Amino acid sequence: MLHILPADAHRHDALIRSPNIPDPDGFYEELIESQRLLTDEAAQLMNCKLILLLANHVGDRAVLTQALKAAGGAVK
Amino acid sequence: MMSTYTYPKYPYRISSEQEAGRLVRHPVVVIGAGPVGLTAALDFAARGIPTVVLDDNDTVSVGSRAVCYAKRPLEIWDRLGCGERMVERGISWRIGKVFFEDDLRYQFDLLPEPDHKMPAMINLQQYYLEEFMVEECARQPLVDLRWKHKLLSLQQHEDFATLVVETPDGVFSLEAQWVVACDGANSDTRKMVGAEFTGQAFQDRFLIADVVMKAHFPTERWFWFDPPFHRNQSVLLHRQADDVWRIDFQLGWDADPVEEKKPENIIPRVKAMLGPDAQFELEWASVYQFACRRIDRFRHGRVIFAGDAAHQVSPFGARGANSGVQDVDNLGWKLKLVLDGLAPETLVDTYHDERALAADDNIANSTRSTDFITPKSAMSRRFRNAVLELAQEHPFARPLVNSGRLSTPTPYLASSLNTPDEDAFAGLMAPGTACADAPVRVDGKDGWFLGLLGGGFTVVTFGEAPLGEVRAGGIAAPVLRIGIDAADAKGRLAERYDGADGTTYLIRPDQHVAARWRSFDPDKIQGAITRAIAA
């Protein structure tokens, strides 16, 4: 499979907005499936943990702020 | 309730001015003899300012109250002659444990840097702290500490204020070139000058219980989030002197402060925590709610505000008394230079610039801790719990756990009194930063670097210097040569100050860096002194 890096992947100060997940359908299925047996409350807690794990993986403060904005958060 | 402590009762004495019916103008009058007012008196007196302190009571803090004292205030008290006694009497600790529900989730170590005279933090009941300072005040001829003196009203004039004071002998007036209000969060002085005191009040209540017990707990700070013995709330356990333990229970907004303060309601809470067989006695209890607020301006005419009278923070992080002590450390030398006519009055305004910055920093830190400890929404609580659950297994989550960020000095990096660096330096000692301590040897005797600073401006240079002192206007700054006048006993000065031969620092009278260079240039030092006094 040909893997093409998105144009902005090398810019550390910008949130990647172009497709960057290989196998998008497979990932989406895995995400939904991972919560299938959870109650709403347990899924919410899991979402929180997931956000924290991924935020730490990203690490870049400016990118995290852009992601909060892109998700619709009220960011100053 | 039992008592491990006997409260001193200090004698009221009529002042000679009230007795004689004479109107006297004093250089400085301090309102309030709490930790901040007493520190102010000792600092001002050490700088040569005769200081009158008025307090409406005649004893020390009722209850243990502030409890945690950090390194920088301990260094200030050490300069004022009572730091060693506080450390000796207090409890030093460095391990903190964080529990969530039934389990220990992680622990931290304050890991104090080695080779500092003062520890990172001590726990000591506020009454001991005040008692030691009252005793030190009695040894200082320039401190005039007056108990049972209540300020009734205050009138400002161009270059002084008139204070109307009530004592057991009636009402009299006195004048002050400067009034320093250290009369706490509910400051009457603040109301008298009509200052704004605004911020955020938190809709929560906490119960503080001091219990006396011979406990099996180690000397550590234990913090529980949502423990089985106190569901959905937080609990803090901290050790103080005399086998007194501080337990802090979060109660929620609906709690009835009067009911919760009754021993019959406190004891079951403590038993649920310590077990049914625990042997303890209740010593003191208080129910409080808190707010983060700041005064609009730290100076109103001839009245200057310090401590809780100027800023109030939530208790998480021990940033109340600790920052108040640093307020007066910042103020004393400025007042002295202005009173002596050696600096313009605008120097006093830089007290607001530097300490309002610190207050905002402390408020931001304690507000963040409060939001973590008492989440304001269901989602915020889920994030908090997610952090706590992740912290056990995943190191990345541990720095997100916030049970209070313990007080450290706020550097005045953008202060107008600093001379900006023109040379490159590594390390933390940028202009505006409180000086780090280090071991030294002077005349064959072991000592500490901070013990060599603090009388006035000091020029510290690594190696030889062309002058013994640098003069600017009426100010003389003696030169301290590292390696000649004082040996860098363990190499920590060179390390902490990025010192090489010729490296020169100008240190302010409050032991903060004013300027630094890679070589000794008398003209530049003179310019930096002039700048540091706002001239």
Side-chain angles (χ1 to χ4, degrees), chain B residues 179-391:
Chain B
V179 177
V180 180
C182 308
D183 48 350
N186 297 316
S187 170
D188 286 333
T189 317
R190 197 179 55 226
K191 290 162 200 150
M192 289 173 196
V193 304
E196 294 278 334
F197 193 56
T198 51
Q200 184 186 4
F202 294 95
Q203 307 253 304
D204 210 332
R205 292 184 205 281
F206 287 77
L207 165 69
I208 294 179
D210 274 2
V211 302
V212 187
M213 60 178 175
K214 298 276 186 202
H216 58 279
F217 296 105
T219 304
E220 297 172 346
R221 176 187 194 263
W222 285 19
F223 197 100
W224 286 265
F225 291 97
D226 196 5
F229 56 83
H230 193 59
R231 276 264 94 107
N232 295 317
Q233 310 281 18
S234 67
V235 178
L236 173 67
L237 176 71
H238 237 187
R239 186 178 183 181
Q240 309 171 52
D242 305 329
D243 295 313
V244 176
W245 295 74
R246 158 72 64 85
I247 309 174
D248 205 329
F249 294 96
Q250 183 192 359
L251 297 175
W253 184 236
D254 298 333
D256 179 336
V258 178
E259 282 301 307
E260 291 291 349
K261 225 183 313 197
K262 292 179 177 166
E264 62 263 37
N265 291 324
I266 298 171
I267 287 165
R269 289 198 188 284
V270 178
K271 280 202 163 146
M273 175 179 175
L274 302 174
D277 304 325
Q279 295 293 311
F280 66 89
E281 294 272 355
L282 196 58
E283 176 160 277
W284 174 71
S286 169
V287 173
Y288 68 96
Q289 60 192 88
F290 54 80
C292 289
R293 286 191 250 262
R294 203 200 85 189
I295 197 167
D296 46 5
R297 284 173 288 122
F298 280 46
R299 175 186 170 194
H300 280 252
R302 308 304 286 189
V303 184
I304 298 166
F305 292 86
D308 284 3
H311 44 76
Q312 205 183 352
V313 293
S314 76
F316 309 112
R319 288 165 180 272
N322 282 312
S323 64
V325 168
Q326 292 169 80
D327 287 344
V328 293
D329 181 48
N330 186 287
L331 179 61
W333 66 276
K334 294 176 178 174
L335 278 183
K336 172 66 176 162
L337 288 176
V338 171
L339 281 165
D340 288 352
L342 294 173
E345 211 177 284
T346 49
L347 181 60
V348 176
D349 294 319
T350 68
Y351 165 71
H352 168 89
D353 301 338
E354 295 185 334
R355 294 312 297 169
L357 173 86
D360 290 345
D361 181 39
N362 286 315
I363 287 170
N365 271 286
S366 78
T367 301
R368 287 169 168 186
S369 302
T370 305
D371 283 340
F372 193 89
I373 292 163
T374 69
K376 303 295 179 291
S377 70
M379 207 60 213
S380 169
R381 178 175 290 271
R382 280 183 204 110
F383 269 113
R384 199 277 306 274
N385 292 352
V387 166
L388 290 168
E389 288 189 14
L390 289 167

Side-chain angles (χ1 to χ4, degrees), chain B residues 12-137:
Chain B
Y12 159 77
R13 284 191 202 91
I14 189 167
S15 62
S16 58
E17 63 198 88
Q18 186 179 10
E19 200 165 28
R22 228 168 353 103
L23 183 62
V24 177
R25 185 174 304 177
H26 302 274
V28 175
V29 172
V30 173
I31 313 297
V36 178
L38 291 166
T39 306
L42 291 173
D43 182 81
F44 300 170
R47 299 197 180 284
I49 307 172
T51 304
V52 174
V53 185
L54 308 179
D55 192 274
D56 58 4
N57 208 333
D58 61 356
T59 187
V60 292
S61 156
V62 174
S64 61
R65 294 167 71 184
V67 172
C68 292
Y69 301 100
K71 178 159 68 191
R72 181 61 198 152
L74 290 170
E75 288 169 348
I76 293 167
W77 288 319
D78 193 39
R79 176 168 60 75
L80 302 175
C82 30
E84 287 181 6
R85 201 174 165 196
M86 293 169 184
V87 172
E88 212 168 281
R89 197 76 182 77
I91 300 281
S92 289
W93 61 276
R94 48 186 278 191
I95 302 289
K97 286 186 175 152
V98 175
F99 300 82
F100 177 49
E101 296 175 334
D102 296 283
D103 304 312
L104 173 66
R105 297 300 171 138
Y106 101 109
Q107 67 177 66
F108 61 87
D109 188 332
L110 291 179
L111 262 186
E113 223 182 33
D115 299 323
H116 288 255
K117 180 175 180 185
M118 288 291 146
M121 192 68 78
I122 64 162
N123 288 1
L124 182 66
Q125 293 91 316
Q126 187 173 324
Y127 40 74
Y128 279 123
L129 187 100
E130 291 183 12
E131 185 187 325
F132 296 167
M133 283 197 279
V134 170
E135 287 176 21
E136 189 58 33
C137 282

